[in-house]
Amino acid sequence: MAVYHHPGLTVGLHENSLAVQQRWMPLFEQHGVDLVLNGHDHHYERFLPQNADGDPDPNGPVQIIGGTGGMTLYDVHAAHPATA
């Protein structure tokens, strides 16, 4: 499991983090990380297993954005095809 602040992929206000996608997500895949927990965007999102490009991949981690801890919630721009 990996826990950090900025999500690599999100449909929230802050949008995807290219730095996380390029630096960290390949490492998660390579080392068999099953679950990634993030915050930053103030909403809830849960992604199916996916690779660093956001494509469905059964070997990739599930990502959950749990940014609902007490702040005003953000609107979600659109559903990502890999959200569950």
Side-chain angles (χ1 to χ4, degrees), residues 3-79:
V3 179
Y4 57 96
H5 190 75
H6 292 269
L9 301 167
T10 180
V11 295
L13 179 69
H14 295 292
E15 301 182 349
N16 298 340
S17 170
L18 187 58
V20 170
Q21 285 176 279
Q22 291 176 341
R23 292 180 192 147
W24 295 105
M25 291 178 74
L27 290 174
F28 300 156
E29 291 176 57
Q30 183 181 14
H31 294 286
V33 172
D34 294 321
L35 178 63
V36 175
L37 300 177
N38 302 114
H40 196 55
D41 270 333
H42 299 175
H43 67 274
Y44 174 83
E45 258 183 288
R46 179 173 55 107
F47 290 88
L48 298 170
Q50 57 190 315
N51 61 29
D53 295 323
D55 298 322
D57 182 344
N59 297 315
V62 169
Q63 176 184 273
I64 296 175
I65 299 171
T68 58
M71 298 297 291
T72 302
L73 299 180
Y74 294 164
D75 290 333
V76 174
H77 294 292

